[in-house]
Amino acid sequence: MGGKKVCIVGSGNWGSAIAKIVGSNAGQLDKFDNTVNMWVFEEEIGGKKLTEIINTQHENVKYLPGHKLPPNVGVDEGPDGLKLISDIIREQLGIEMSVLMGANIANEVADGKFCETTIGCKNLEKGQILKELMQTPDFRISVVQEADTVEICGALKNVVAVGAGFCDGLGFGDNTKAAVIRLGLMEMIAFSKIFCKGPVTCATFLESCGVADLITTCYGGRNRKVAEAFAMTGKSIEQLEKEMLNGQKLQGPQTSAELHRILKHKNLVDKFPLFTAVYQICYEGKPVSDFIKCLQNHPEHM
């Protein structure tokens, strides 16, 4: 007792995956309090509360089935223009914030498959404490000070992944998807330079939070998967989200709408044709087949 207290807010597949790592490390390191509290939106699974299942079976049977959580992770019930989540929490709670983003598909992290991730922390000393809490031999962490850039990468990559999914659904190949990833990365960098406070350097986009997370999301994430089905079936995004995601939420389309409002306000829509095409296809009825035109006529090719 007496070490730094750790809690996890949220118990989706990623929250549960990181709980395996954090719970194990906190249980072994004297620097941290042994008990790790997890806050959960209560649900009933087969007539039993999800909190009760996690506390008795040490497994999130809905969002990360097949993986045991350390017994020191217990559960408390929580209450029911683009703004960084870290900014909202900082304003509401008055605490310093850091962010973790990377090429980290939750099931693979939980399986202990090797991956890298990035912690964005303006205070490098505090970043090292977070690294100690979360790093394992198979979960390798870099700490960078451009926290806003790290976080915005995590939002923007989901929009690009929707575009990648459109290409998959339309039957285009890996060459086309590579173009989507490259052009999407260029728009991510350009938008970050407009939006983020403080410096934005290309080096941050070479960390796991940047190009690596973008690649894995464009090949393996839920935004790509649902966008592919959207292009193939003609069903709405909302309908596919309900059918395919087992209660998880899609981030890409909603983020594209928030981006579009900002770009329209700044009269920059024409500078971001990939982001704009994703928005128009998701919300304005633009045919998904027109997505390729945004690649063919991208300013990068003019």
Side-chain angles (χ1 to χ4, degrees), residues 13-18 21 63-64 67 100-117 138-139 157-158 161 208 212-225 248:
N13 61 350
W14 173 244
S16 299
I18 202 68
I21 292 173
Y63 295 110
L64 198 71
H67 292 281
L100 181 148
M101 300 281 174
N104 309 140
I105 302 270
N107 286 355
E108 295 181 17
V109 173
D111 282 335
K113 293 175 179 170
F114 179 84
C115 68
E116 302 173 311
T117 199
D138 293 311
F139 191 66
K157 59 98 189 277
N158 291 318
S208 185
D213 196 9
L214 180 61
I215 290 168
T216 199
T217 307
C218 285
Y219 278 91
R222 72 186 81 153
N223 290 278
R224 185 220 66 81
K225 179 181 172 185
Q248 292 178 308

Side-chain angles (χ1 to χ4, degrees), residues 192-233:
S192 297
K193 287 181 175 177
I194 294 165
F195 178 80
C196 291
K197 302 180 286 288
V200 173
T201 61
C202 287
T204 302
F205 293 89
L206 296 178
E207 298 286 350
S208 185
C209 62
V211 66
D213 196 9
L214 180 61
I215 290 168
T216 199
T217 307
C218 285
Y219 278 91
R222 72 186 81 153
N223 290 278
R224 185 220 66 81
K225 179 181 172 185
V226 173
E228 178 184 41
F230 176 86
M232 293 176 73
T233 66

Side-chain angles (χ1 to χ4, degrees), residues 1-6 22-37 70-74:
M1 297 297 290
K4 294 182 184 298
K5 289 185 178 294
V6 180
V22 168
S24 178
N25 282 355
Q28 295 176 46
L29 299 170
D30 292 338
K31 186 175 287 187
F32 303 99
D33 192 295
N34 182 263
T35 299
V36 175
N37 286 316
N72 58 313
V73 180

Side-chain angles (χ1 to χ4, degrees), residues 126-169:
K126 290 191 173 170
Q128 289 304 315
I129 294 171
L130 292 169
K131 178 175 180 174
E132 191 174 347
L133 174 65
M134 296 182 183
Q135 182 160 270
T136 74
D138 293 311
F139 191 66
R140 307 309 292 177
I141 294 172
S142 296
V143 181
V144 302
Q145 287 183 286
E146 288 179 26
D148 288 351
T149 307
V150 171
E151 187 171 359
I152 201 72
C153 281
L156 300 182
K157 59 98 189 277
N158 291 318
V159 181
V160 183
V162 171
F166 291 159
C167 289
D168 288 340

Side-chain angles (χ1 to χ4, degrees), residues 178-197:
V180 170
I181 291 170
R182 189 188 77 80
L183 294 169
L185 180 62
M186 299 306 289
E187 292 193 15
M188 286 171 61
I189 294 170
F191 186 86
S192 297
K193 287 181 175 177
I194 294 165
F195 178 80
C196 291
K197 302 180 286 288

Side-chain angles (χ1 to χ4, degrees), residues 254-290:
Q254 184 179 329
T255 303
S256 77
E258 294 171 6
L259 293 180
H260 189 71
R261 281 195 292 273
I262 291 170
L263 295 174
K264 202 170 177 183
H265 177 70
K266 292 181 178 285
N267 203 27
L268 290 170
V269 169
D270 293 343
K271 302 284 187 187
F272 294 85
L274 192 149
F275 288 170
T276 300
V278 169
Y279 165 75
Q280 290 174 335
I281 290 165
C282 290
Y283 293 104
E284 293 188 345
K286 185 183 179 85
V288 70
S289 56
D290 284 358

